[in-house]
Amino acid sequence: FFTRQGVYQKVPVEEAWKKTGKSPIRVKWVDVNKGDDDSPEYRSRLVAAELKTDQRPDLFAGAPPVEAIRLILSDAATFSKGDTRRTKCLMVNDVKRAYFHAKCKRKGYIELPKEDAEEGMCGMLDKSMYGTRDAAGNWEAEYTDMFLCAGYEQGVACVCIFVSVEQDAISLVHGDDFTILGPPHQLAWFRDRMKETFEIKVRGIMGPD
């Protein structure tokens, strides 16, 4: 998957020292069971271990307040089956390995994992990697661009909310989870639009029907 996404390219370790004044960032494997003991769903992910050593406001990424999801759920509950022109459904999608879809905006270098190690070489990041400090901000920029290109407007008070007045749709992003409320045909269009850019999993669709 790293190769297919073009997450990094191999360069001499000396380049990392020359460009950043530091050695390449360490990497490690992290195994997480996203299920439970009865229905395990293990995810093994290679992550960077970049330490926070200074304050960098430019690496900030927004997160939605709980009021945002309450707003969407309240809006969803308002529309009933009585007027089919106003029927809305709620769709929840998540993006697989979201950060690997986001382009790097600064020079970053990682140690090569043992599975791809090469003497005297390290990896220069072209895509964001879990564990790097700017990964969340890069991912925010990536999905924001997708929404704006799709005709949505970004929220002012909360940059994780996107609204399309024309399509009568609203979306909330929390990490790699997308909650979208809108007419059924708009949800289908938006799902297909996301698939053009990211690898997604549709978690569910809820509505009057």
Side-chain angles (χ1 to χ4, degrees):
F1 186 84
F2 266 70
T3 302
R4 178 155 54 90
Q5 288 295 110
V7 177
Y8 65 79
Q9 55 180 297
K10 292 183 179 180
V11 298
V13 174
E14 288 78 9
E15 181 177 323
W17 282 99
K18 182 178 179 181
K19 296 290 186 179
T20 67
K22 303 175 183 177
S23 61
I25 302 167
R26 291 190 306 106
V27 298
K28 63 179 181 179
W29 284 99
V30 174
D31 302 319
V32 177
N33 182 8
K34 302 187 75 174
D36 53 36
D37 292 338
D38 295 327
S39 301
E41 184 184 350
Y42 280 96
R43 174 70 55 81
S44 298
R45 179 174 285 155
L46 184 69
V47 303
E50 185 176 20
L51 300 177
K52 181 178 180 180
T53 57
D54 57 1
Q55 296 293 333
R56 291 283 302 275
D58 57 310
L59 303 182
F60 172 80
V66 68
E67 289 82 4
I69 189 63
R70 287 175 177 167
L71 169 68
I72 290 180
L73 293 176
S74 175
D75 199 12
T78 300
F79 298 93
S80 67
K81 215 171 179 180
D83 186 352
T84 56
R85 293 171 301 176
R86 300 189 70 205
T87 296
K88 290 188 178 182
C89 293
L90 194 68
M91 179 172 65
V92 179
N93 299 340
D94 73 41
V95 177
K96 299 179 180 178
R97 307 175 182 92
Y99 288 0
F100 295 149
H101 292 282
K103 295 179 287 291
C104 275
K105 300 183 182 300
R106 64 177 175 125
K107 288 290 185 182
Y109 298 85
I110 59 166
E111 292 180 353
L112 294 174
K114 63 181 181 181
E115 295 84 359
D116 194 30
E118 188 174 332
E119 185 69 29
M121 304 294 282
C122 66
M124 182 182 73
L125 291 174
D126 291 322
K127 298 290 182 67
S128 299
M129 188 171 175
Y130 289 83
T132 54
R133 293 180 60 193
D134 58 342
N138 292 343
W139 168 237
E140 182 181 282
E142 197 72 26
Y143 70 69
T144 296
D145 183 63
M146 180 200 68
F147 274 107
L148 297 181
C149 290
Y152 280 68
E153 294 183 43
Q154 188 175 23
V156 176
C158 178
V159 296
C160 305
I161 289 182
F162 298 85
V163 176
S164 172
V165 176
E166 180 181 352
Q167 301 293 345
D168 194 20
I170 183 171
S171 182
L172 169 69
V173 184
H174 189 188
D176 58 6
D177 295 318
F178 290 67
T179 303
I180 307 109
L181 177 69
H185 70 276
Q186 172 63 11
L187 298 188
W189 178 86
F190 191 79
R191 176 201 61 210
D192 294 340
R193 182 65 180 259
M194 285 188 70
K195 287 182 176 179
E196 293 176 4
T197 309
F198 311 126
E199 291 188 44
I200 71 168
K201 181 181 292 184
V202 179
R203 290 293 184 181
I205 299 176
M206 296 177 287
D209 296 325

